[in-house]
Structures are given as structure tokens and as C-alpha cells.
Amino acid sequence: MKLPQHIAIIMDGNGRWARKRGLPRTAGHKAGMESVKEIVETCNELGVKVLTLYAFSTENWKRPKKEIRLLMDYLKDFLAKYSNEFNKKNIKLNAIGQLEKLPQSARNRLISTIEMTKGNQGLILNLALSYGGRAEIIEAVKKLVKDVQDKKFSPEQIDENIFSSYLHTGGLPDPDLLIRTSGEMRISNFLLWQISYSELYITNKLWPDFRQGDLVKAINEYSQRKRRFGG
Ligand code: IPE
Ligand code: IPE
Ligand code: MG
């Protein structure tokens, strides 16, 4: 089986999962954490190099304050609960997005877990938090322009590799497989530059229902795709 090096997932459908059960949306986020744990461990066991999870978008700040607060609390709890276990399993945590916008306590947890796991050689678990693809590109352009002004290189030297290195994902390979749960046929501002040749896999399963077997099914389908890259 051909294994994707980098899997990126738009974890959608927590609210719908909860509504179907007559529960508050936040119960869906809580249940979704169990899927996160299972998918992370499965990727690590399979030997996937990078797993990028879209956990909170720049647009998600538009949600009710109470839902945002609970999501941030769940993030903090998740890291508190599993960081030692992930560390033992050789998983390395990374994060992309406007991390300075996260509440202090969640950010501290995130930073300390990244620090604790930085020497690990297993799966890179890359969390996209307060992440937006357009914001990331604008930020990269600003840094690039500054470096050109500082004469680090000339505008003519800028190529795709240099530009990529200015993104938050600099140093990581592009996603081979992009999964979206709960059936929506859109990208929602996720990894706009990086997914130019990713294979897409959209499933109707809601995120809290997406488990090991569903991931294996997606990888199986991926391994049967013919990637031509325009050639
Ligand atoms: C995904 O589930 C989680 C986040 C975006 C944080 P949603 O909360 O978007 O759930 P639906 O799409 O409303 O069902
Ligand atoms: C995308 O889901 C963002 C995350 C999964 C974090 P949304 O639920 O925010 O996306 P839209 O609103 O359906 O595009
Ligand atoms: Mg949604």
C-alpha cells in the first residue's frame, strides 16, 4: 500500500453530530477529541510522517464567545491529558496559524508541549490553530518583501521553494492527501498554497464518527489513485 507522507484533515461536523443527538454543539467538539486521539495514534503507527489537523480557522473567531472559550479549554485539556503519552510514542507536536491570538493558557500548554517533544522522530502532529491560508500567504509576503529590502536576495531569485519556506509550513512536505469530513465540498481557507496537487477525499462521516477504519479506507483509496502532476 502506498502511504501518504503527509495527511491533512479538515475535521468538520462536530456541531451536526451533537445536534443529531439533541446535545449542545460543544458535546460534539468533546467527542471529536476522541477521533483526534485515535487518528493521531493510527498515523503514528502506520508511519505517516506529518498529520496536519485543521482545528480552528481564522474565520472561526466569528463564532459565539462561549463556543470559542470551550474549544480553547478543550484544546488545553487535550494537551494536558495526552502530551506525555504522545511524547512516549515519539510524536512531535508542531503548530501553524496566528498562535499569538490564542488565549494565554492554551498557548502556554501548546508551547510547552512543542518544547517537550521537539527531539522526537515519529509522527509530526501539526495543529492548525487560528489558521487561515490567505493570512499565512500575506504574512509570508511581508517577510519576503522585508528580506528583499534587506538585500538577502533579489526579486528575481524568488521561486516556489523560497516562497514555500516563508509559510508556516516551511520545511514540511506538501500534503499528499487532504481529507474533509461531513461532506462539505470546499476548502474553507485551509493550506491554499500547499494543496495544489493533494489528492482530495471527502466523506460524509461526521468528524466524531471518523475513526481508524475510516482513515485506513481513505488511505486505501489514495493508494489506488494515479497521481500525474500534469505529466
Ligand atoms: C468542526 O465542527 C470543528 C470546528 C470548526 C472548530 P463544526 O463546529 O464546524 O461542526 P458543524 O460543521 O457545524 O457540524
Ligand atoms: C473548517 O470548518 C474549519 C475547521 C475544521 C477548523 P468550518 O465549519 O469552519 O467551515 P465552513 O464554515 O463550513 O466553511
Ligand atoms: Mg463546520
Side-chain angles (χ1 to χ4, degrees):
M1 199 169 77
K2 212 169 53 191
L3 194 66
Q5 262 205 85
H6 182 173
I7 300 177
I9 308 183
I10 302 174
M11 309 183 289
D12 198 16
N14 293 350
R16 276 163 280 180
W17 183 93
R19 198 174 55 218
K20 267 183 25 189
R21 289 163 177 76
L23 297 169
R25 292 177 60 78
T26 47
H29 297 318
K30 207 171 183 132
M33 297 293 186
E34 295 308 309
S35 293
V36 172
K37 167 94 176 359
E38 190 168 317
I39 297 306
V40 168
E41 293 191 330
T42 305
C43 283
N44 192 41
E45 284 157 20
L46 289 173
V48 172
K49 295 274 183 300
V50 188
L51 172 67
T52 299
L53 297 177
Y54 204 7
F56 195 86
S57 73
T58 47
E59 288 71 29
N60 288 149
W61 292 112
K62 290 188 263 186
R63 292 193 180 194
K65 280 212 163 57
K66 202 172 152 221
E67 182 179 351
I68 295 175
R69 183 154 36 80
L70 275 164
L71 273 167
M72 295 300 158
D73 282 348
Y74 290 163
L75 166 68
K76 202 173 56 184
D77 295 348
F78 180 85
L79 293 173
K81 194 167 167 195
Y82 297 125
S83 52
N84 281 322
E85 202 177 322
F86 285 171
N87 192 32
K88 280 198 203 101
K89 292 184 169 157
N90 210 15
I91 294 168
K92 177 178 170 168
L93 186 70
N94 188 56
I96 57 172
Q98 302 166 333
L99 306 181
E100 65 286 354
K101 294 204 173 146
L102 301 177
Q104 188 76 43
S105 55
R107 198 170 78 226
N108 287 345
R109 260 287 168 201
L110 190 67
I111 291 168
S112 63
T113 311
I114 291 172
E115 185 58 29
M116 174 170 82
T117 61
K118 71 177 180 204
N120 290 349
Q121 305 285 320
L123 174 76
I124 296 174
L125 169 58
N126 187 32
L127 295 181
L129 291 161
S130 189
Y131 174 88
R134 285 190 167 189
E136 180 190 37
I137 289 170
I138 295 290
E139 206 186 295
V141 168
K142 284 181 179 164
K143 284 191 212 144
L144 195 55
V145 167
K146 188 168 180 305
D147 282 352
V148 168
Q149 283 168 346
D150 293 347
K151 307 268 186 271
K152 285 197 187 149
F153 38 67
S154 67
E156 292 69 34
Q157 281 174 299
I158 299 170
D159 60 13
E160 293 185 6
N161 284 331
I162 289 185
F163 187 77
S164 294
S165 72
Y166 278 78
L167 296 169
H168 292 164
T169 49
L172 299 175
D174 287 340
D176 300 295
L177 172 62
L178 173 66
I179 298 173
R180 182 167 189 148
T181 58
S182 78
E184 236 71 72
M185 299 286 177
R186 54 176 172 261
I187 297 300
S188 301
N189 203 12
F190 191 40
L191 301 176
L192 298 179
W193 168 276
Q194 297 88 338
I195 60 170
S196 66
Y197 259 106
S198 304
E199 293 295 322
L200 308 180
Y201 181 88
I202 293 166
T203 167
N204 286 327
K205 279 264 172 105
L206 304 173
W207 176 250
D209 293 328
F210 188 87
R211 296 301 168 108
Q212 179 162 22
D214 303 291
L215 180 71
V216 169
K217 201 170 147 214
I219 294 175
N220 261 322
E221 184 174 318
Y222 166 86
S223 70
Q224 277 149 39
R225 302 260 182 100
K226 267 219 145 47
R227 299 184 81 184
R228 284 183 289 274
F229 298 100

